[in-house]
Each structure stands twice: as C-alpha cells, then as structure tokens.
Amino acid sequence: MSNQEILDQEQQHYAKAARIKYFDIVIKSGKGAILTDKDDHQYIDLLSSASATNTGHCHPHVVEAIKQQAEQLIQYTPAYFANEPEAKLTPRLAKLAPINGPVKVAYGNSGSDANDAIIKFARAYTGRQYIVSFTGAYHGSTYGSISTSGVSLNMTRKIGPLLPGVVKVPFPSPWYRLPNESDDDFSDRMFDAFKLPFETYLPADETALIEIEAIQGDGAFIKAPERYLNKVYQFAKEHGILFAVDEVNQGLGRSGKMWSIQHFPDVHPDLIAVGKSIASGLLLSAVLRRAEVMDALSAPRNLYTTAGNPVTTASANATLDVIENEHLVERSAKLGKQAKAFFDKMKDRFDFIGDVRIYGLNGGIDIVDPATGKADDDAATQLITQIFELGALMITVRGNILRFQPPLVIKETDLNKAFSIIEQAMQELNDGKLPPAKPMGW
C-alpha cells in the first residue's frame, strides 16, 4: 500500500486530537539520520522524532539490546518486582544526574508523567500547594503537565478546568526585549516580572515548586539568560521552594552538554524530568531527585504497570552506552557549531531570517516578514514544505520557527546535504518561486 492508501484507511478512525498536521507520509523505516516512507522516498531527518531518537534510528547496539531482552522477558511490572536491566539502569542515571547529594530515580512511560510526578513529589515534600511554571513551556499533555505547559492555546481549549494551584510567569523570550536593552537590564526586568505574583497574590511560603526548561524546546528553542536563571534559582533557595528542570526535550546531549542545565554552572536542581531519548524513543521516562525529596512519597502514589519494564530499560542502558562510547555529547557540540555558522550565513543573506538560536545540534530559526520584522507563519510553512519536497524532514514550532534537531549520529555528509537543501529552499523563497503555503503545524 502507498502512503496515501494507508493514510486514507487510517484517517477513518484516527483521532484528530492525536496528530499535528504536517506532511502526508507514512514512515516505513529509518537508519541513522535517514528515513524511508512507504513510497520509498528517503528523507534526511532534522526532527529526530521530536528529539526522541538522539542516537538515530535503529542503532545496531540498541536494536541488539532490545532483541536480546525481548527473548528473555518482555514485561513484568516493576511496580511489584525488579528486573535486571532496570536495576542496572537506576544507579547509572543517578550517577549522571546534575543534582548535588544522593539521588534516587522513579520511572514513568513518558515525559508527561515524569512532569506529573515532579508535582506530586514537590507537594509531598514541602507540604505546599502552588506550582510555578513559565509561558512558552511544553511539559506534556497529561492533566498535570498540560496545566504547567504554556506554549499553545490549542493545548487547553475545551478541557478545563486544569490542575489548580498552577501559576505561570513570563519566560524571558527575546521578543520581550526592549530596543537597545542590555542583557543585564533585560534579565533584571524579567526577574521583576517573575517576582510580581509573589509580591501580590502568591505566597512564597506556600509555593512548592518552580519548574523550567533551561532551554525551551517547543516554546521556540530559547536559552534563558544566565543572570536571569541564577536569580530565579536563588529566589527558590531563599524561600524553600524546590527547583526542577525539564530535560525531556533538551537532555542527553541534545544541547551540546549532557543536560541543558549544565549551561548554568551555578544552578543545581532538586529534580529533573527525563524522557524521549532516554530509551531511543521507547516508552520510558524518569524523574531524578534528591533522595530526601524522593522519600517524601511511598507506593503506590507514583507507580505504573509498564514503567521501567525490561525491554525499555535494556534499550536505555544501550542508549547510554552509545552516547558515551560514540561521544555524542561532544559531537553535538562540534556539529552544532557548524550548524550555527551555516544558519548565521543564511541570516546574512536572507532578510526573512530573524533570530538564529543554536545550542548543539538543536535550535530554532525565526522566519519573519522583512517589512515588519514580525512572525511570518506562511513563509515558514512554504520553507518546510519545499525542504520536504527536496528530501529533508523539518517542521515548525510557534508557526514561524524552523525546528532543527537532527540525530546526534548524523553523518557530516548528510548534514551538509541538509544544509544545501535548506539553502536552496530559502533561495527559492527569496526569489518568489515557492507556491502558497497550505495550513499546517501547531
């Protein structure tokens, strides 16, 4: 069956709420950074399954670990009994955690439930109710994580009321910067906006948690200013508020460091959420916490039948092997510099490129109307459509921002070919050669 035949059959029964509309393809197979659809068209993957396949598609070491474990034991719930791959993975993750002091681990099935678990443990440990998160955040789509998210109105339409006790403050996104405002003045002004709820209606001594993406993913790939994040962290410490970092999108080498919070050497979180690439895309997440915070809850208040099962944890152990043995963190940093140089060069050539934000093999490129400097969703959609037609898979976030997240194992020849495709599409947009955009995306 062709792409379209499969899609026609599927769409009779597939829920509209479960897929964001982009391109009409059915992924058949993948190897490294190359995807093949059911019509046997190949694409350079610049999305990594939403940053869930940092080790690339079907890495031989990961595949072999999954196969060997599946022949021994696929599932027995860790809610009752340990299994060997999980018991091996747990201390490895605890050792890797960017957290001071003893660390404990709790497993889930997705980044969403990892972020839900953070809320549970924070409330239990502090005895406080309020949770603070940021505009532009994407923490997931379970009721807790969707309540702390703030990236799209379409995430929350028709499903309220959401989790009570959640307060959102503005993330220091670059479009909030005033003309000619210095970095320090911008950070200080945004920190004043962060404090405003605490000075008017939100008691700090009743606040359990502040959770942030140190580098926002779906919110536009924005790294918080270091001065700002240090101030928020110190505020949390001064008021006995737990500080959590969502590493689901940006962790495991994506940003050129093992964890995105390592770009901020003075910040030491109490909890972090991990998911997506932890098991090369299999259904596994984890929350890493200071041991005393983890011990605030006992079973069965955060357990799941399939979380930490033998196959997913075997995949996670193999994934960590690949990240370590193939030096993917260092590779992300190195190739990220090449990516930044390329997109900066495109910015110098094309006036429809606004800001370029690249951190490792990871980032966002703003597409704007040259006349106004404002977001141009149509032009961004024209670009990703032509990039797709030329043989690379890229999507947008927030309508006008190109999402750049290739697998960390991508061959340099494929990366350079992707750059050539993007450059050609941008030149054709500049020359007015691209057809009108069809609506798609968030």
Side-chain angles (χ1 to χ4, degrees):
M1 296 175 70
S2 68
N3 281 327
Q4 199 57 55
E5 288 171 332
I6 294 172
L7 289 169
D8 289 344
Q9 184 181 76
E10 179 209 40
Q11 291 305 307
Q12 298 177 48
H13 307 285
Y14 198 78
K16 291 191 299 183
R19 180 176 297 148
I20 299 169
K21 171 67 176 175
Y22 281 106
F23 309 115
D24 291 334
I25 58 171
V26 178
I27 304 297
K28 179 177 69 173
S29 63
K31 192 69 174 176
I34 305 299
L35 296 169
T36 303
D37 71 9
K38 281 295 292 183
D39 291 340
D40 290 326
H41 298 136
Q42 289 194 333
Y43 305 92
I44 301 169
D45 185 7
L46 302 179
L47 177 60
S48 297
S49 186
S51 195
T53 52
N54 287 0
T55 57
H57 302 289
C58 299
H59 191 288
H61 184 61
V62 176
V63 170
E64 184 60 27
I66 293 169
K67 288 167 63 176
Q68 287 188 13
Q69 183 56 50
E71 290 174 350
Q72 297 180 60
L73 180 66
I74 293 175
Q75 163 67 9
Y76 205 96
T77 177
Y80 296 134
F81 308 108
N83 64 76
E84 190 173 4
E86 171 271 317
K88 178 183 177 183
L89 177 64
T90 300
R92 289 185 79 178
L93 287 176
K95 186 177 179 180
L96 286 171
I99 296 172
N100 286 342
V103 173
K104 290 191 175 181
V105 180
Y107 293 111
N109 298 299
S110 72
S112 296
D113 61 46
N115 283 308
D116 277 11
I118 280 178
I119 296 170
K120 295 180 195 175
F121 281 94
R123 284 178 166 173
Y125 177 74
T126 63
R128 303 174 179 183
Q129 64 167 312
Y130 291 112
I131 308 297
V132 175
S133 63
F134 290 78
T135 57
Y138 181 82
H139 295 301
S141 58
T142 52
Y143 254 99
S145 60
I146 210 167
S147 298
T148 54
S149 297
V151 71
S152 171
L153 288 172
N154 289 332
M155 290 184 72
T156 53
R157 293 184 195 278
K158 301 183 179 180
I159 66 169
L162 301 179
L163 188 71
V166 174
V167 175
K168 293 186 178 69
V169 293
F171 189 84
S173 300
W175 42 83
Y176 296 138
R177 188 187 290 266
L178 300 175
N180 303 315
E181 189 173 30
S182 71
D183 291 345
D184 284 356
D185 286 347
F186 176 59
S187 291
D188 292 345
R189 184 170 60 81
M190 294 306 296
F191 183 63
D192 287 341
F194 164 83
K195 289 190 298 181
L196 185 59
F198 294 100
E199 296 169 345
T200 53
Y201 68 90
L202 176 62
D205 59 359
E206 295 181 27
T207 301
L209 176 74
I210 297 168
E211 182 172 24
I212 194 169
E213 294 168 277
I215 300 174
Q216 283 196 340
D218 292 276
F221 297 90
I222 302 165
K223 179 176 175 284
E226 187 170 356
R227 178 183 177 92
Y228 173 85
L229 195 60
N230 287 343
K231 282 175 170 282
V232 171
Y233 175 68
Q234 286 303 319
F235 181 91
K237 296 298 102 181
E238 289 167 8
H239 293 278
I241 301 169
L242 293 178
F243 188 85
V245 178
D246 183 344
E247 294 278 0
V248 173
N249 190 306
Q250 295 291 309
L252 297 160
R254 175 53 63 186
S255 72
K257 294 185 180 292
M258 188 64 175
W259 309 108
S260 66
I261 197 59
Q262 290 172 325
H263 290 276
F264 304 85
D266 295 329
V267 177
H268 306 284
D270 301 296
L271 314 93
I272 71 169
V274 188
K276 290 186 183 283
S277 280
I278 187 174
S280 291
L282 294 194
L283 301 182
L284 181 68
S285 65
V287 180
L288 315 180
R289 308 173 180 83
R290 285 195 294 115
E292 63 199 76
V293 178
M294 188 73 80
D295 290 340
L297 285 181
S298 57
R301 282 171 284 184
N302 193 67
L303 55 81
Y304 309 89
T305 300
T306 57
N309 75 60
V311 173
T312 61
T313 51
S315 178
N317 277 305
T319 297
L320 292 180
D321 292 343
V322 173
I323 291 172
E324 294 166 8
N325 296 338
E326 299 186 14
H327 308 289
L328 294 190
V329 177
E330 296 84 355
R331 197 166 193 277
S332 176
K334 174 190 170 186
L335 296 184
K337 291 177 181 177
Q338 295 181 26
K340 187 175 190 313
F342 166 74
F343 285 112
D344 283 344
K345 179 181 176 183
M346 294 301 99
K347 184 177 187 296
D348 290 340
R349 275 181 56 185
F350 302 116
D351 56 5
F352 53 76
I353 297 180
D355 198 17
V356 170
R357 298 175 298 278
I358 301 290
Y359 319 101
L361 276 176
N362 170 60
I365 299 91
D366 297 354
I367 306 302
V368 300
D369 182 335
T372 65
K374 294 184 178 180
D376 192 338
D377 294 8
D378 288 342
T381 303
Q382 287 177 289
L383 276 174
I384 63 169
T385 301
Q386 184 63 1
I387 289 167
F388 171 73
E389 294 294 336
L390 293 171
L393 198 60
M394 178 179 258
I395 67 167
T396 54
V397 295
R398 295 183 76 104
N400 75 304
I401 298 165
L402 305 183
R403 178 176 186 163
F404 176 75
Q405 290 188 305
L408 306 186
V409 299
I410 189 170
K411 297 176 181 178
E412 290 195 51
T413 52
D414 289 331
L415 184 61
N416 289 328
K417 184 177 178 182
F419 290 157
S420 295
I421 287 171
I422 294 168
E423 183 175 6
Q424 179 179 337
M426 287 181 170
Q427 185 64 58
E428 290 173 350
L429 176 66
N430 186 73
D431 295 342
K433 294 181 178 179
L434 298 185
K438 296 180 181 179
M440 63 175 68
W442 288 61

